[in-house]
Amino acid sequence: MNFNQQRKPSFLSSHQTFIKYNSMVKVETSSSSVKPYHYAGGARGRIKIFFLLLALLIFFGNCAYYNTLFNAKKNFNEGLKVLRENPNTKDVPRKARSHFETTIEKCWKLIELYSDKSKYADDALLLIAKSEFNLGKYSQAKLHLTQFLQKYPDSELTSEAHLWLGKVLLREDSIEEANEHFLIVITTAKNPQIRSQASFELGVYAFENERYEEAINYLNKALKEKLDDQYKARVLFYLGESYYIQGDYKKAVENFQKALKYSPTLDIEYKLRLHLAEAFSLMGKYEKAYEELHKMLTAPRFKDFTSFIKTAMAKNYEREGRLEEALELYREVVQKQAKNAGTALAAYNLARIYETVRPNLDSAVVYYGLVNKIYSKFDSVEVARQKAAFLSEIKEIRDNIRRDEKLVYRLTHDPEFRDSLYQAQYEDSLRRAQGIPQAPVEEIADTMNTLLPTDSLKTVAKDTTDSLQTTQKDTVTEQNEDDFMSFRKQITEEEKKKAELEKQEKEKLKQQTQQTPAQKNKPLEKRKLPQIEFDLMNHRYHLAEFFLLKEENYDSAAVYFEKFLKMYEDSILTPKALYSLVYIYKSPGHENPQLVDSLEKEIVAQYPNSIFAREILKSKGLYKEEEQADPQEAAHQLFLKAESLYFSGDYPNALRVYKQVAKMDTTWEICAKAQYAIAWIYENDLSLTDSAFTAYQKIIDNYPSATSYVQVARKKITPPVETPKPSTPVDSSAVQGEPSPTEGKPGEILPTEDATHMKDEDILEEKIRWRRLRTLRE
């Protein structure tokens, strides 16, 4: 295939040129005003003029021909210069690409105008292939180099063509074919620089494929040839780099320093000095490293590499133990916002320090996220993305734990905050029930004058069907000033001091939790204390599970699981946490057979119906699948047995069987139903208010997924807010979106008339006393 087939030449042949210029002479002769006798006797003069014009034409044609090639070579060298000025850029810079494309265009133009057999056609074709190689167009470069060797076998540039074809084959990983061409270069090339390049290219290929000993051998062979200074500096750089990567910093420094004596090109000098400083730093010679880096910072030719140099200097500070100075310099580089790999590396190093050395999860997430924004082509950008996602997940768990811990503390230690939050939740429920858009958070806290009727074990009236609010209102109305004064006199000095301390603590907490404008716009917290406590338990468990499954850090996971078990000795997640510890202490490197045996016995004994107990029994060959009934069906049958005992009037045995069902699995609705039956019996059949209160609380704590039972239990145990009775009764279940349970047997959800053995006077006395203490605290 002829490489001119794509672009056909449109040049004139020598014969056509002769005819054209001969006719021009004739035209000029016929149109001349000179007398004929001058031409009659001057035929020889006309011939001389013709040949003179022909010589001038050839001369100027050759000049244009050579100028085209000269400009092509100039553009090629300019492209190489741009590449050297951007050593940290993986892609071909736009300016360099433009130069190489111009080179290709001019060379094709030269071949088209003067044919592929002209004097400089081989130069032009080789320049085309070399430009295509630098543009990364390896298939096209390979095609044109192959055509070159076929068309110009006797060219002086044949050895160089074999060299470049070998380089192309290396990029395609055709190492054996490449070696054949390099061997031809080594044995036939007259230019020592060309011979050296064959060994050099093999050395660089071995270096890039991490075969450093092989690279050192090839590079030493390349150095045996007579080389110009800049090329020798390049070979010495790669030789030093091979020693550097293998950790032989002494030999690396020797080669780097030697290379600097041979006037390296800018790209090689930059890498030599930077890596020389790195080698000094790794050898513990920090002052020499600073000296090299300061020289670079003060040299104008390195101004485009400032972020890389300062990042290297910060890394030197870090190695020396001057962490604060390292952090300050890294931040300075990042704040400059130069979009290059040096700035991205500074952000990455900051994130790494905040993740491991100076734990600050928020900062680590921010800086890992910055890496991709700064320079998306950074080597470790994917690692940074994964780290950011990984740490964001653990940060979310940590933030949830902190938030819920703070809420639980304030709800249990700050009555004013608790009342304010519950009032805001109540008002929000009224708005939603009436279809009114949610008010701004700062408005929700405003006090409303009406409350819904409640169904609470703490607020029932004795032997009456009237609501608690009516009873309390009538009773309070009957009290006189002396009654209030009598309660005031009963407050001791110790209680006053305690109230004063609580007031001071409240003021301090108020200052610490002063809201910013951003915090004021946060959505209303709609969870009640039991739900917050349950969520907090889940978050703490997820933290331990995160270290086990995501990070696979078994030591940290074991610590967090053990902390969890100390906080929650008997919860829905306790058997799972115990089984996780079994898994950890069975894992290679963490084996503890005695502890595993103890944990397994605890799971089987305390949670015999759990899936974890079944797995343990299966592993010991003590569990037979065919003999085991469906666990939920077994729970249902046991519940029916308890129902039968209840309706026969055998309350003690009924309670015993209900409790067995309730303990089977806290995720099953039948178990929540059994717990509700227990609470119902205590409240209505046995009139044990305290036991009923505890039983209802267990529904909230242990069966969060059984929402209908949880809602009724909350109503039973939640004390009312003292306000005047609303003029128009409102259905609380309708307003709050809760289902109204129906009347029925104890296994069903139903509201009951609250009953209590507390006297009205006792209730009133407690409320007045509470209000007086609150006044003192304020």
Side-chain angles (χ1 to χ4, degrees):
M1 172 182 172
N2 191 307
F3 57 82
N4 284 320
Q5 287 180 355
Q6 294 178 346
R7 307 177 81 169
K8 296 180 181 181
S10 58
F11 52 85
L12 299 172
S13 67
S14 300
H15 179 66
Q16 290 171 318
T17 304
F18 175 79
I19 294 173
K20 181 176 180 181
Y21 281 94
N22 193 28
S23 62
M24 287 172 65
V25 172
K26 288 181 179 180
V27 170
E28 289 175 2
T29 303
S30 61
S31 61
S32 177
S33 59
V34 182
K35 294 182 179 180
Y37 66 86
H38 288 285
Y39 291 94
R44 185 178 297 176
R46 290 198 300 271
I47 294 173
K48 286 181 179 180
I49 292 172
F50 167 74
F51 281 109
L52 179 60
L53 291 173
L54 182 61
L56 289 172
L57 179 64
I58 293 171
F59 173 76
F60 287 114
N62 283 336
C63 287
Y65 182 28
Y66 180 77
N67 283 338
T68 303
L69 182 64
F70 175 82
N71 289 329
K73 287 183 177 180
K74 183 179 177 181
N75 274 281
F76 179 78
N77 290 328
E78 287 293 328
L80 292 179
K81 183 180 178 182
V82 174
L83 289 180
R84 289 169 184 154
E85 290 172 350
N86 296 272
N88 297 305
T89 305
K90 289 187 175 181
D91 295 335
V92 182
R94 185 180 301 175
K95 195 173 179 181
R97 182 177 293 277
S98 175
H99 283 303
F100 290 131
E101 289 173 349
T102 302
T103 301
I104 293 171
E105 183 182 352
K106 287 184 178 296
C107 288
W108 278 123
K109 183 177 180 181
L110 188 148
I111 292 172
E112 289 176 356
L113 289 175
Y114 303 104
S115 88
D116 57 355
K117 295 179 181 179
S118 58
K119 182 179 179 180
Y120 297 116
D122 55 345
D123 292 81
L125 185 57
L126 185 59
L127 268 178
I128 288 169
K130 288 160 69 174
S131 297
E132 289 169 340
F133 177 89
N134 285 308
L135 288 169
K137 300 177 179 180
Y138 302 124
S139 58
Q140 294 180 32
K142 182 179 177 181
L143 173 65
H144 292 133
L145 286 166
T146 303
Q147 291 175 350
F148 181 98
L149 293 172
Q150 291 172 353
K151 195 161 190 67
Y152 307 110
D154 300 324
S155 171
E156 293 179 355
L157 302 174
T158 302
S159 297
E160 192 175 355
H162 279 292
L163 174 68
W164 283 89
L165 184 55
K167 290 170 70 172
V168 171
L169 292 167
L170 283 181
R171 296 299 184 279
E172 295 179 346
D173 292 325
S174 302
I175 184 67
E176 292 183 3
E177 290 183 65
N179 270 321
E180 291 177 8
H181 289 280
F182 288 138
L183 183 60
I184 292 171
V185 175
I186 293 169
T187 55
T188 64
K190 296 178 182 180
N191 187 336
Q193 192 102 339
I194 299 296
R195 291 198 301 268
S196 174
Q197 281 192 44
S199 297
F200 174 74
E201 290 297 333
L202 287 168
V204 172
Y205 180 77
F207 176 86
E208 290 173 348
N209 286 275
E210 301 179 0
R211 301 197 300 269
Y212 301 112
E213 288 298 332
E214 185 181 340
I216 290 170
N217 291 332
Y218 280 121
L219 292 168
N220 279 322
K221 284 181 182 179
L223 286 171
K224 291 178 181 178
E225 299 288 350
K226 186 177 180 180
L227 310 173
D228 64 42
D229 285 354
Q230 287 190 343
Y231 184 68
K232 193 169 187 177
R234 189 178 188 85
V235 177
L236 284 167
F237 165 72
Y238 276 100
L239 185 60
E241 201 67 351
S242 299
Y243 286 119
Y244 173 86
I245 292 175
Q246 293 183 99
D248 192 345
Y249 303 121
K250 186 177 180 180
K251 286 187 177 180
V253 168
E254 289 175 3
N255 283 282
F256 289 151
Q257 290 177 330
K258 193 184 295 183
L260 287 170
K261 297 176 182 178
Y262 290 99
S263 303
T265 55
L266 180 62
D267 59 327
I268 295 300
E269 185 189 3
Y270 158 70
K271 291 179 181 178
L272 278 168
R273 292 190 181 278
L274 189 68
H275 293 189
L276 177 60
E278 287 281 330
F280 278 137
S281 178
L282 290 166
M283 292 169 71
K285 298 180 179 181
Y286 304 116
E287 289 305 320
K288 287 190 175 182
Y290 292 132
E291 185 180 340
E292 287 295 332
L293 293 169
H294 277 299
K295 284 180 184 178
M296 297 180 74
L297 281 176
T298 55
R301 63 185 180 278
F302 295 125
K303 65 178 182 179
D304 292 334
F305 307 117
T306 301
S307 59
F308 295 89
I309 299 167
K310 286 188 175 181
T311 298
M313 189 175 287
K315 184 67 178 177
N316 197 43
Y317 282 137
E318 192 180 340
R319 290 194 183 105
E320 196 178 357
R322 296 159 66 177
L323 192 58
E324 290 302 325
E325 291 170 89
L327 288 171
E328 184 178 352
L329 193 51
Y330 280 138
R331 290 193 202 102
E332 180 186 327
V333 174
V334 173
Q335 286 168 3
K336 294 292 183 182
Q337 297 184 347
K339 302 291 184 180
N340 56 42
T343 310
L345 180 59
Y348 186 89
N349 286 345
L350 274 172
R352 173 183 51 77
I353 291 171
Y354 284 126
E355 179 191 3
T356 57
V357 183
R358 186 74 63 81
N360 186 326
L361 205 55
D362 299 288
S363 296
V365 170
V366 169
Y367 283 114
Y368 275 131
L370 276 177
V371 172
N372 181 54
K373 294 178 181 178
I374 291 170
Y375 191 64
S376 60
K377 296 176 183 177
F378 179 60
D379 288 341
S380 301
V381 69
E382 190 56 39
V383 176
R385 281 198 197 102
Q386 293 173 1
K387 286 274 190 179
F390 174 82
L391 294 177
S392 294
E393 187 173 349
I394 194 172
K395 178 180 177 294
E396 182 181 3
I397 297 172
R398 184 210 63 183
D399 291 347
N400 287 337
I401 290 173
R402 288 181 177 177
R403 179 200 63 206
D404 288 350
E405 282 179 340
K406 184 177 179 181
L407 281 171
V408 169
Y409 178 82
R410 295 196 67 187
L411 286 169
T412 54
H413 292 80
D414 186 351
E416 185 178 351
F417 172 78
R418 180 182 61 243
D419 294 347
S420 175
L421 177 61
Y422 285 170
Q423 183 67 21
Q425 291 175 341
Y426 167 73
E427 293 166 6
D428 182 60
S429 68
L430 284 181
R431 287 188 176 90
R432 286 187 286 107
Q434 297 172 14
I436 301 173
Q438 181 172 333
V441 176
E442 57 269 20
E443 293 180 12
I444 291 179
D446 292 341
T447 305
M448 293 184 69
N449 296 321
T450 58
L451 286 174
L452 298 176
T454 59
D455 179 21
S456 170
L457 289 175
K458 288 189 173 181
T459 59
V460 287
K462 180 181 176 182
D463 300 327
T464 179
T465 59
D466 294 335
S467 69
L468 177 65
Q469 288 86 354
T470 303
T471 304
Q472 291 177 341
K473 181 180 177 182
D474 295 341
T475 309
V476 171
T477 304
E478 296 172 2
Q479 301 296 316
N480 56 36
E481 183 66 19
D482 292 334
D483 294 327
F484 285 104
M485 293 300 294
S486 64
F487 287 114
R488 183 179 301 167
K489 292 173 184 177
Q490 292 176 16
I491 297 175
T492 65
E493 290 297 323
E494 184 179 350
E495 289 175 327
K496 289 181 179 180
K497 290 179 181 178
K498 185 178 179 182
E500 184 64 27
L501 288 173
E502 289 182 4
K503 183 178 180 181
Q504 293 175 1
E505 184 66 26
K506 187 189 301 181
E507 289 296 327
K508 184 178 178 181
L509 184 63
K510 186 176 181 180
Q511 292 176 0
Q512 292 175 347
T513 57
Q514 191 68 32
Q515 287 188 333
T516 63
Q519 290 173 326
K520 289 181 180 179
N521 292 326
K522 287 184 178 180
L524 173 69
E525 174 59 66
K526 297 184 179 180
R527 296 174 297 165
K528 301 291 185 184
L529 178 60
Q531 182 63 46
I532 296 171
E533 290 176 327
F534 182 78
D535 291 342
L536 178 59
M537 177 188 70
N538 274 302
H539 297 321
R540 284 172 172 158
Y541 180 84
H542 289 158
L543 181 62
E545 194 173 49
F546 180 88
F547 282 103
L548 175 63
L549 302 179
K550 293 289 183 71
E551 193 169 351
E552 296 184 0
N553 185 337
Y554 290 177
D555 292 328
S556 297
V559 169
Y560 283 109
F561 276 125
E562 286 166 1
K563 284 183 178 178
F564 178 86
L565 290 169
K566 287 180 182 178
M567 291 181 178
Y568 306 99
E569 295 180 357
D570 184 19
S571 71
I572 185 175
L573 294 171
T574 299
K576 192 174 181 181
L578 289 168
Y579 193 76
S580 297
L581 285 173
V582 170
Y583 174 81
I584 290 170
Y585 292 123
K586 280 184 176 181
S587 301
H590 299 81
E591 296 92 339
N592 191 334
Q594 292 181 346
L595 187 55
V596 167
D597 185 59
S598 173
L599 291 167
E600 288 181 339
K601 286 180 180 178
E602 184 177 354
I603 293 170
V604 172
Q606 298 295 327
Y607 309 97
N609 297 309
S610 67
I611 58 173
F612 309 107
R614 285 203 302 274
E615 288 300 318
I616 292 168
L617 293 174
K618 282 181 182 179
S619 66
K620 296 178 181 295
L622 302 176
Y623 182 85
K624 294 183 179 179
E625 195 74 41
E626 63 273 10
E627 295 179 0
Q628 299 294 325
D630 177 26
Q632 291 200 46
E633 180 59 29
H636 181 70
Q637 293 301 322
L638 203 58
F639 181 85
L640 293 178
K641 179 181 177 182
E643 291 273 88
S644 177
L645 289 169
Y646 170 77
F647 286 113
S648 67
D650 189 355
Y651 298 151
N653 283 323
L655 283 170
R656 178 179 57 79
V657 179
Y658 277 133
K659 288 177 181 179
Q660 289 179 15
V661 177
K663 289 181 178 179
M664 292 182 75
D665 194 317
T666 54
T667 62
W668 297 346
E669 188 171 355
I670 191 69
C671 299
K673 190 174 183 181
Q675 184 62 40
Y676 180 81
I678 294 167
W680 197 92
I681 292 171
Y682 280 136
E683 179 189 0
N684 296 279
D685 294 302
L686 302 179
S687 298
L688 298 174
T689 305
D690 291 341
S691 298
F693 184 90
T694 303
Y696 281 124
Q697 183 65 52
K698 282 186 178 180
I699 295 175
I700 297 169
D701 294 342
N702 298 340
Y703 308 92
S705 59
T707 54
S708 56
Y709 295 97
V710 169
Q711 288 169 353
V712 174
R714 276 209 185 102
K715 290 173 64 179
K716 291 287 185 181
I717 68 172
T718 302
V721 178
E722 279 191 273
T723 57
K725 181 180 177 182
S727 57
T728 304
V730 183
D731 183 3
S732 62
S733 63
V735 171
Q736 298 183 10
E738 298 176 352
S740 299
T742 56
E743 296 289 341
K745 58 187 179 182
E748 299 175 347
I749 301 177
L750 58 141
T752 62
E753 286 296 326
D754 295 317
T756 181
H757 296 286
M758 294 181 66
K759 295 181 179 180
D760 293 344
E761 293 79 9
D762 295 337
I763 295 172
L764 181 61
E765 182 176 354
E766 285 298 317
K767 289 188 175 295
I768 296 173
R769 184 180 181 81
W770 175 79
R771 293 182 72 171
R772 290 300 309 131
L773 284 171
R774 179 171 176 178
T775 303
L776 282 174
R777 292 189 187 104
E778 294 174 349

